[in-house]
Amino acid sequence: GYEDLNDHEALRFDQALQTATGNASTLAGKSTLCRMEQAMDRQTIVKAHELLWHHFIEQHEKPPKEIVLDFDGTDIPVHGDQPGKFFNRYYDHHCYFPLYVFCGRHLLVSYLRTSNRGDARHSWAILALLVRFIREYWPQTRIVFRGDSHFSKPRLLAWCDRNQVDYIVGMARNQRLEALAAPAMDKVRTYYEAHGHKLASTFRFRYKARSWHKPRWVVARLEYGPQGPNPRFVISSRYDDGFKLYYEQYCARGDMENRIKDQQLDLFAGRTSSTHWWTNQWRLILSGFAYTLFERLRVHLKNTPFERMSAGTLRLKLIKVGAVIIRNTRRIRVLMSDSYPHKNDLSALVQRLVPQ
């Protein structure tokens, strides 16, 4: 939970951390950890992602019928002379623009990118690698690619069509889409004018852009309010109810943004201050590893007050807690203070998890 490596000069002697890592001796200090970070290269990052993917497979007792791969990017501000930094007009600062891929709460990809390219940069290659890896273990599992309008690239959608990958992605509105949805929008506007409050509805239709090789299903989310019409459009490979496609399937991707915030706000994903590219990528991966550890911990916190706490709150209320530690060759004892408000909950949790 500490951002700076110099904190490890003291933490390396912490008996609780030593025990958690399976050691009984002094842990690595700041110099050793710094050399480790500076030694990272491309192959190490590939192996780190493979570890995340294997971990994802191992968390399932049997192959799921369907999985949804959520793709999204975010900004990491940079303030020095880091390699590959660029000014991004949308975010209005110099930044990196990493790509994240989640399946539910499972982190699969944490890929550092520069911010001078499009949001979908390298997403096609990463999706292809992920699909090939997953199908080695789950050949019958249905895979769905989901993303916002930045990922509605014709080549990416065509690849999904050729490789039996379903997709539901946003699409930027244009005059032609608005014209096709106009009759349905007129009904929504009529309802608003008659009743005085917003009405949100959906309208599904076939559409073929000039760069597409075939028509696709488009779902329009139609809304009319005091500011006028506010349509939104998504492309889907599925023939399904428009309301279900938009509100239940597409809008569910918003939960991914909370998973990104866990890493950005609580797990130091923004610690990209090195002048070496692969070191910054490694630090981003370390944040992903920390997130994965917290998610594995959360599995054991069901039916406790800790179950729905964020990573930052869990760190403060469960991990960074003062205690007296007594360790010998046979056991380690952690003596909690009576003033710790969750003492009884933690004791009950330990009794449930640790064999007596």
Side-chain angles (χ1 to χ4, degrees):
Y2 289 92
E3 180 177 7
D4 298 318
L5 292 181
N6 56 4
D7 293 309
H8 288 269
E9 288 302 291
L11 293 174
R12 63 193 301 204
F13 301 107
D14 188 289
Q15 291 185 343
L17 284 180
Q18 292 173 5
T19 303
T21 56
N23 290 279
S25 58
T26 304
L27 301 176
K30 61 181 171 82
S31 299
T32 302
L33 292 174
C34 180
R35 287 193 295 269
M36 181 267 291
E37 289 187 343
Q38 298 300 318
M40 294 299 108
D41 56 15
R42 181 182 182 276
Q43 190 61 29
T44 306
I45 303 305
V46 172
K47 293 295 184 182
H49 277 100
E50 289 179 356
L51 179 63
L52 285 174
W53 297 359
H54 283 288
H55 177 79
F56 166 68
I57 297 293
E58 292 167 358
Q59 300 313 305
H60 297 77
E61 295 181 357
K62 61 181 181 179
K65 293 182 179 180
E66 177 181 290
I67 60 172
V68 180
L69 302 178
D70 283 309
F71 281 60
D72 201 2
T74 189
D75 66 309
I76 294 180
V78 295
H79 307 285
D81 293 324
Q82 292 94 326
K85 78 167 188 178
F86 290 94
F87 184 85
N88 188 288
R89 291 189 300 171
Y90 178 82
Y91 293 106
D92 198 29
H93 55 224
H94 290 84
C95 61
Y96 288 138
F97 193 71
L99 174 69
Y100 285 97
V101 181
F102 285 83
C103 181
R105 298 184 70 96
H106 295 275
L107 174 67
L108 298 179
V109 174
S110 184
Y111 173 62
L112 193 65
R113 304 179 298 180
T114 59
S115 62
N116 64 328
R117 301 289 184 88
D119 290 13
R121 182 190 181 191
H122 294 164
S123 57
W124 179 7
I126 289 175
L127 177 62
L129 290 171
L130 268 173
V131 169
R132 184 173 64 183
F133 177 85
I134 293 170
R135 284 181 172 165
E136 288 180 3
Y137 295 90
W138 301 335
Q140 303 302 320
T141 297
R142 187 180 187 183
I143 300 176
V144 182
F145 167 66
R146 185 165 63 187
D148 59 21
S149 59
H150 298 104
F151 296 93
S152 59
K153 304 300 181 183
R155 289 186 177 182
L156 182 55
L157 298 182
W159 182 91
C160 291
D161 290 330
R162 293 193 306 270
N163 292 272
Q164 293 77 51
V165 175
D166 284 326
Y167 49 83
I168 178 166
V169 296
M171 185 177 184
R173 62 185 181 183
N174 55 52
Q175 292 182 350
R176 187 178 174 193
L177 286 174
E178 292 178 347
L180 291 172
M185 179 63 82
D186 288 340
K187 296 181 180 180
V188 176
R189 176 180 57 82
T190 301
Y191 179 91
Y192 171 77
E193 293 174 348
H195 297 85
H197 57 81
K198 285 185 179 180
L199 171 67
S201 183
T202 59
F203 175 62
R204 184 184 58 202
F205 57 92
R206 298 285 280 181
Y207 172 74
K208 183 182 182 303
R210 184 177 302 173
S211 57
W212 293 359
H213 69 283
K214 69 172 188 178
R216 293 187 171 96
W217 285 108
V218 173
V219 176
R221 191 291 311 268
L222 306 175
E223 183 179 275
Y224 198 97
Q227 306 301 322
N230 183 27
R232 294 287 187 271
F233 299 93
V234 298
I235 314 165
S236 175
S237 62
R238 298 178 171 183
Y239 179 82
D240 206 340
D241 177 70
F243 190 92
K244 180 179 180 181
L245 282 171
Y246 186 84
Y247 287 101
E248 295 183 14
Q249 298 179 20
Y250 179 73
C251 290
R253 64 174 296 275
D255 187 60
M256 177 192 183
E257 297 180 2
N258 294 327
R259 310 285 75 79
I260 294 177
K261 289 178 181 177
D262 284 340
Q263 296 178 67
Q264 298 288 95
L265 301 180
D266 296 329
L267 300 174
F268 309 111
R271 196 170 69 92
T272 53
S273 57
S274 175
T275 55
H276 298 278
W277 175 267
W278 293 114
T279 298
N280 289 327
Q281 169 69 91
W282 173 250
R283 290 174 176 178
L284 189 66
I285 287 287
L286 286 181
S287 174
F289 285 167
Y291 168 84
T292 302
L293 285 173
F294 271 103
E295 287 302 306
R296 292 300 302 143
L297 173 63
R298 202 182 301 279
V299 172
H300 302 288
L301 298 178
K302 291 183 178 179
N303 303 318
T304 71
F306 306 107
E307 181 178 6
R308 299 183 63 83
M309 291 183 181
S310 66
T313 306
L314 277 175
R315 180 191 296 122
L316 290 174
K317 295 189 176 182
L318 183 62
I319 297 176
K320 289 173 60 174
V321 179
V324 174
I325 299 177
I326 302 174
R327 184 175 66 180
N328 55 33
T329 56
R330 298 179 58 190
R331 65 172 62 91
I332 179 171
R333 301 175 65 190
V334 181
L335 308 180
M336 309 296 299
S337 169
D338 289 334
S339 61
Y340 174 49
H342 297 287
K343 180 178 180 180
N344 294 334
D345 297 318
L346 183 57
S347 298
L349 179 63
V350 171
Q351 291 175 5
R352 189 179 72 186
L353 298 179
V354 179
Q356 299 299 319

